[in-house]
Structure formats: structure tokens, C-alpha cells
Amino acid sequence: MLPRKKIRIGDLLVEHKIISENQLMTALADQKKSGHKLGRALIELGFLGEDQLLEFLSRQLQIPYIDLKHYKYRPETVRLVPETIARRFRIIALDDSQEAVLVGMADPTDIFAYDELARILKKPIRQAVVREGELLRTIDSVYRKTEEISSLAEELNEELSETDFNFDELLQSSDVSEAPVVKLLQSVFEDAVQIGASDIHIEPDEYVLRIRQRIDGVLHEQEMKERRIAGALVSRLKLMGGLDISERRLPQDGRFNIRVKDKPIDVRLSTMPIQHGESVVMRLLDQSGGNLNLETIGMPERLLRRFRRNIHKPHGMVLVTGPTGSGKTTTLYGALNELNAPEKKIITVEDPVEYRLARINQVQVNSKIGLSFANVLRTALRQDPDIVLVGEIRDQETAEIALRASITGHLVLSTLHTNDAVSTAIRLIDMGIPGYMVATSLEAIVAQRLLRRICEGCISNYEPSVQERAWLKKMLPEGFAQLQLRHGSGCPHCNNTGYRGRIGVFELLELDEPMADALRRNDSSAFAKAAAASPNFRSLTRNALDFASDGITTLAEVLRISSDDEAFAANAEIATATTGTD
């Protein structure tokens, strides 16, 4: 166990020749400016790796090094330490036995943290060293706001019962920051950002109020019996979004900005009248800009090089396709961020504008006043742009204008709701666009989906069923025998779902002469055959199978995105089997 004396980690690292004296001096100077721990400063300066530092501490202090991604903790044990203390000192309680409490620490040399733990736990402490990033993610996962949300909902319900007031007037009063409804919404937003939710749904039912959060593409529900607080929540959110709080019969859309845990979040708000009140859905968009980078979208290097080559062409059209929620906007904004330069004029036509980018002229479509995609696009082309982004091609008129713009010297980026790259060009022809125009202007099509990652904390081997094996043999006739599939059995890290995080899977189709000839003849069958024969084209399903064979995702996720009929049958079998075991 760690001695209670101060240990100078920098001197130890120099003594064991892991860093030099000069590197230590540089890190100490950086530490004074940043206020970080010395270990963090050394890692950020690149003088040593985090694993290297943690393994060194483990050896020197004779304490275990624990990988939290694979450690099965109990949430009630973690909560033995208050959240504020856990975050402040970067500590986490992992195991509580009669003899001692096992505590993971990002910096086990911190004697102040040790003393605070001893005061709180009132038991002997066994230390372990853990990665700081994994520690913070575990804290975010465990210290949820669900109990606080329930408590504030109860408080708000009691206040609504005890006093007969006009809620709309209360919301506009000077002491609104103290109202329970504001505290409740603050907790809801904090919980959503902490857990990485992309959407928040507030849905009043006949007897209950449901708050649901979309995490990794799947909704997670919290049900509250305080049904009557729904009106208060909706009114406050309408006020924040600049909507009409007295209009409850018609859908409304708005947006507002909030700061949660030092992150600027742009909230897109949509209300809709339903049987028992109004449903509210909020899309949370992180405006910190970290997700607007092509390097981070998960596109494999071989595809990324080809995609970059196409978006850097002076003219032509590049389409990104997929269903709602497949990451199309993130890919397009990543491309815009890379193309954004002083010498290029970029105009976007969007509904709505999701991320705000400097130097780019972004236009919000508003059909009520005649600002349709087609009308804005016509005006945008008179603004001398080099690059135009059309948020979505929805009709023939918009498609024709965009395609003509790409022929007349502009680079046009846009999205289309289709299932794969091959069907996208055919869809444009079905919309009434002449085949010769599609063949002349279309440069490349990216189709994409988001696959859920297997949780590293509970990953284990998986044996496919008979029907799954038959489908796999068809897809991988040569490599099937060597295929080792994995899945997640469920653990506290992933809320017992078996999945944690998502990864993008892509297919990229670049038009060549045989494909262009087929389009000019309006021959859909020949186009599909020419695309399949293209040496550089690889389908979404095959690329997704690579992730499954590497143990990144499950076969169930691959089957979910496959358009193959047998895949649907195999996926249905999985769903039936899962339902049967519940």
C-alpha cells in the first residue's frame, strides 16, 4: 500500500531514465501554466505514453494497474464516494470488502486525495492506478441524474398542486432561475450530455410522463408518474426556443443554445400535438467543433483518400446517402471544414442549419415565406460561389438546379435518402432527371451507416446460428472458416446492452465510363452490374463484415444494415430468439 509520504514522481522518472532532466524542467514549466498534474503534462508534451506512466507507477508503488474497460464494477460501490469528490480527485471506488475498499486513482501519489478518501470511507484503502480518461467515462456512466430528475419532478408536481398560478407568467418572472422546472430541465440536459445522448424525447401519456434519451442510436426510457408537469416543461422549452407558448394545437420548430459542463450545445427543438398534450423532441448538437473533422468520422484510409480526391475537384457533384441518423451531416460538415479557405466562396442551403461554420454563408430554408431549397439555390448561384452544399435533394426541381450547377463549374455537395450508393443514381433518374445529366455531373456517391461497437467490458466469443452460418458462407465463401465472431454479454459499462459507442461504415462508388454509359441509356440494370464490376467498389455489407471479423461490432449489427433478403431472415431469427429468452 502507498506510504503516506509525498512522492516526487518526476525525480523517480529521471532516476530510472524514462525522461531526461530537461524534459522534466519543460514539463514543470508547462505544469505551472496549465495547472495540470505533472503526469498529464508529460503525456501531453509527448515525453512518455499514458500506459508507460501508469505501469511505472504500478511497479514503483507496488499497487495493481487496472484497465477499467474490462473491470466489472458495481455501481453501488462506485457511489460510496460522492460524485464531486470522485471528479475533483479523479478517484473511483471499485470494490468494498470487509478488510478494505479498493480505489482506482489517476494519480496514486496524491496524498490529499488519499486523506479525503480515508475521511469519507472510514475504512482501510487499497489503491490501484487507472487511466484518467476511462475513469471519467465510468464516472459519467455511474453518476447519472435519474434520481435527481425524479426528485425534481416530484418537487415541481407538488408546487403545481399547492399553488394555483399561471405558469406562463411564472416562466417570465425575474426569479425564474429558482423555479423547479428550470432545475429539472438543467438536470435532464446535464444527464443527456454526460451519457452522450444525441436526442431527448419528452412524451406525456395518459397517466405517466416519459423522458427518453437516444444513446448510440437506441432510446433509453425514464418513466415518471408526475404526468401533470409535462405542460410546465413544454412551456419553458417553448420559451427558450422562441416559440408561441399559447399555441398548443400546431407543431412548432425552434432552437436555442445552452452551455452544459463547459460545452456549448445547440438544441434543435420540435413540438407536436399528441393525444395527451404535446410531444417534444430535442436534437443536441455539440458546437465545440471536435466532430467536424474527416479524420474522426471513421472512414477507412483507403476510402478517405478517394473521398478527399473527389471533394477537391473544381466541379461536379458528390452525394452522401443513408437513412436519418446515419451521420450524413457529420460527413458533409467534415468535408466543408476541410474545404473552408479564404480563397473559396462556400454557400450552404439547409433545413435546418445544424453547425455554424465561420466564413461559410449558411442559409436556412423557410418554405412559409418562399425560401424553398430550389429558390435559395437559384439565388445562391448568383452569389458567385465555388462550392455549394444542398442539405437534401427532395424533389426534381432542386435536383435539376444542383446538377446544372455542378456542370457549370461548381462543386456541389448534397445528401439523398437512399439505402446504398448504387440505388442513388437510379433514384435521381426516377425523380425525372435525364440520364445524360446524371452521367455528366455525378462524380462520386458515399453511402453510410452507424454500427454499434461491442462493449470492451463484456466482449466474448459468439457462435452463429445455422441460418447465420448459411448467410456468412454465401458472403464469405473463402474466409468463413477462419471467422471469429464476438458479441457483448452486458455489463455496467454499457448499461447491460452489450454495446458502447458507434462507428461509421461506408461504401464509395466513383462513376466510370461503363456506369456513365448505362446512365445515359437509362439502363438501371446495366448500371448496377457496372457498379458491382468496378474494382474499387466494395459494398456496405462487406465493409461491415470486416468490422465484425475484427471484433469491433456484432453480426446482428451487420445484418441490420444489409439489404440482402437472407440477411433480413437471419436478423429476424435473432430478434425472435432474443424475444423468446426474455
Side-chain angles (χ1 to χ4, degrees), residues 429 435-436 439 513-524 526-527:
I429 293 173
Y436 73 85
E513 201 53 43
M515 285 184 252
D517 284 342
L519 289 175
R520 290 188 189 100
R521 301 194 306 270
N522 288 346
D523 190 337
S524 301
F527 176 78

Side-chain angles (χ1 to χ4, degrees), residues 58-311:
S58 175
R59 286 195 308 271
Q60 289 298 309
L61 304 175
Q62 297 181 346
I63 60 176
Y65 166 41
I66 292 177
D67 186 350
L68 285 178
K69 284 190 291 188
H70 302 287
Y71 189 88
K72 294 196 175 180
Y73 59 84
R74 294 167 62 88
E76 55 269 28
T77 302
V78 176
R79 294 192 193 101
L80 289 173
V81 179
E83 182 182 1
T84 52
I85 299 297
R87 291 188 184 279
R88 179 184 170 192
F89 291 110
R90 301 294 195 260
I91 53 182
I92 181 169
L94 297 173
D95 187 47
D96 183 19
S97 65
Q98 288 185 342
E99 294 78 26
V101 179
L102 175 64
V103 175
M105 303 179 71
D107 179 10
T109 67
D110 188 341
I111 59 173
F112 298 107
Y114 186 99
D115 290 341
E116 188 67 17
L117 272 176
R119 184 185 66 79
I120 292 169
L121 298 174
K122 297 180 172 57
K123 286 180 77 171
I125 296 166
R126 287 191 299 119
Q127 289 178 296
V129 60
V130 297
R131 287 193 197 94
E132 185 175 355
E134 277 301 318
L135 183 146
L136 291 173
R137 278 190 285 274
T138 305
I139 286 174
D140 283 344
S141 176
V142 172
Y143 294 99
R144 296 288 305 278
K145 301 281 184 180
T146 49
E147 291 179 12
E148 183 179 315
I149 290 168
S150 295
S151 174
L152 286 167
E154 213 170 296
E155 181 184 340
L156 177 59
N157 189 61
E158 287 173 6
E159 183 162 324
L160 289 172
S161 302
E162 290 170 4
T163 56
D164 183 15
F165 55 76
N166 183 325
F167 191 80
D168 295 339
E169 289 178 7
L170 170 71
L171 291 171
Q172 298 175 68
S173 67
S174 58
D175 62 344
V176 67
S177 61
E178 297 303 316
V181 66
V182 178
K183 295 177 185 174
L184 174 56
L185 285 173
Q186 182 179 356
S187 293
V188 169
F189 282 120
E190 284 181 358
D191 187 53
V193 170
Q194 187 168 301
I195 206 67
S198 60
D199 301 81
I200 301 172
H201 296 230
I202 298 176
E203 302 167 343
D205 208 335
E206 187 173 3
Y207 301 111
V208 296
L209 172 66
R210 292 184 179 88
I211 296 180
R212 302 202 279 176
Q213 299 170 327
R214 192 174 293 282
I215 304 165
D216 293 339
V218 177
L219 286 170
H220 296 256
E221 181 176 284
Q222 181 177 0
E223 201 172 89
M224 292 177 287
K225 63 181 183 297
E226 293 83 10
R227 153 84 186 74
R228 67 194 307 272
I229 70 171
L233 291 176
V234 174
S235 293
R236 177 59 190 168
L237 288 167
K238 281 183 174 179
L239 201 65
M240 293 167 71
L243 307 182
D244 183 355
I245 59 176
S246 63
E247 179 56 77
R248 297 179 175 90
R249 299 167 300 169
L250 296 173
Q252 297 187 69
D253 295 308
R255 71 189 305 160
F256 56 88
N257 297 301
I258 56 173
R259 182 168 284 274
V260 181
K261 295 185 176 294
D262 293 326
K263 281 186 177 181
I265 305 294
D266 192 6
V267 182
R268 277 171 38 197
L269 174 74
S270 171
T271 71
M272 182 177 69
I274 58 175
Q275 189 176 6
H276 299 289
E278 289 180 276
S279 166
V280 177
V281 175
M282 293 174 283
R283 169 67 54 88
L284 308 182
L285 302 168
D286 185 352
Q287 295 293 330
S288 58
N291 54 349
L292 304 181
N293 189 329
L294 283 179
E295 301 289 350
T296 61
I297 63 173
M299 191 179 286
E301 184 59 36
R302 67 182 189 281
L303 290 187
L304 188 56
R305 282 197 303 270
R306 291 163 54 205
F307 181 62
R308 279 194 162 121
R309 186 173 68 235
N310 282 286
I311 65 171

